[in-house]
Amino acid sequence: MYSPVAPFETRLITGEELLQMGDIGPCELVEGRIVPMSPPGEEHGTIEFTLGGELRNFVRQHKLGRVMGGEVGIYIYRDPDTVRGADVVFIAKERMDKRPGKGYLEVAPDLVVEIISPNDLWSEVNEKIEEYFTIGVERVWVGDPKTHTVRVYRTPTDVERLNEKDVLYGEGVLVGFALPVAEIFAD
C-alpha cells in the first residue's frame, strides 16, 4: 500500500558535525544521535558555579591544571560518536597537552562534577558515571540539590555519600582541596 509520508530517516552525526551546528540548545550526542536536554535552573547553576569556582581557585593557586564548566563536551565513544556534557571538569596539567584546545575534549578529565537536575533520572546519571570511568576519569562528584548531598565516586561502585555535616576533600592531584558540603548548597 502506498503511503504519502516517507519514512523518517535519521543519519548518525559525528561530534565534529554537532560542534559545527553552533548553538542548537542544550543537548548531548549519544551514539550519533542528538539528545535534547532541559537547560539547568537557577539552583543548578548556583551550585555549579559555587563548586566550580572553589575548585578553580584551588587549582589556579597550586598551578595544577585547568577547571572548566558549563556543559563541557567530552568524547566518550567514537563511531558512532557519544559526546557527554559535564557541568565541571578538572584536567591536571600532565594531561593538558593531550587536549585539542578547540572542540570537545578527547582526553579524559581527572575529575568530572555533575549536578543533578530535577528531571534527571538516576539510571541515566549512573550510565554517564560508568562512561566517564570507561574513558579514564579518576573521580566523579555528583551533587544532589534535593538531598544536599555529594556522592564521591572512585569507581562506578566505590562511592561515598557526604551530607551537609561533612567536608568534600580532594584526592589524588587535588589533595589539599577541602570544601564543607553545606557551603555548596548554601543559599
Side-chain angles (χ1 to χ4, degrees):
M1 174 179 213
Y2 172 76
S3 171
V5 178
F8 181 70
E9 293 183 30
T10 57
R11 178 181 73 79
L12 301 181
I13 66 168
T14 65
E16 290 80 9
E17 290 171 318
L18 177 64
L19 188 62
Q20 290 174 359
M21 290 178 183
D23 188 5
I24 62 170
C27 65
E28 292 182 319
L29 187 66
V30 179
E31 296 180 358
R33 292 182 174 81
I34 296 173
V35 177
M37 297 173 12
S38 297
E42 176 186 351
E43 181 180 44
H44 182 284
T46 301
I47 294 166
E48 179 180 334
F49 191 76
T50 299
L51 186 50
E54 293 289 335
L55 189 59
R56 182 176 184 266
N57 289 340
F58 178 83
V59 166
R60 287 185 77 178
Q61 179 182 7
H62 298 283
K63 298 176 175 52
L64 299 174
R66 181 168 291 162
V67 174
M68 295 167 256
E71 299 299 324
V72 178
I74 305 167
Y75 278 104
I76 303 295
Y77 302 113
R78 291 293 204 147
D79 197 24
D81 291 359
T82 293
V83 177
R84 294 294 192 175
D87 294 319
V88 178
V89 300
F90 161 69
I91 301 175
K93 61 182 168 184
E94 293 79 25
R95 294 187 190 200
M96 293 295 289
D97 61 336
K98 298 176 188 168
R99 67 181 188 83
K102 295 184 188 226
Y104 301 125
L105 294 177
E106 297 192 48
V107 59
D110 294 81
L111 170 70
V112 171
V113 179
E114 290 286 350
I115 310 301
I116 302 295
S117 296
N119 296 329
D120 284 345
L121 300 174
W122 270 104
S123 60
E124 293 171 358
V125 173
N126 286 330
E127 181 178 329
K128 285 176 76 169
I129 291 167
E130 288 183 17
E131 290 173 346
Y132 291 143
F133 281 107
T134 298
I135 64 168
V137 170
E138 293 181 8
R139 298 285 185 276
V140 177
W141 295 346
V142 178
D144 188 344
K146 186 176 180 180
T147 60
H148 288 205
T149 59
V150 175
R151 288 178 173 87
V152 176
Y153 289 85
R154 293 172 186 89
T155 71
T157 57
D158 178 3
V159 60
E160 178 181 10
R161 186 176 187 261
L162 306 174
N163 63 42
E164 287 187 287
K165 294 180 265 178
D166 297 318
V167 175
L168 175 62
Y169 290 105
E171 299 173 300
V173 72
L174 292 172
V175 165
F177 176 81
L179 180 61
V181 173
E183 286 184 28
I184 298 169
F185 300 103
D187 292 335

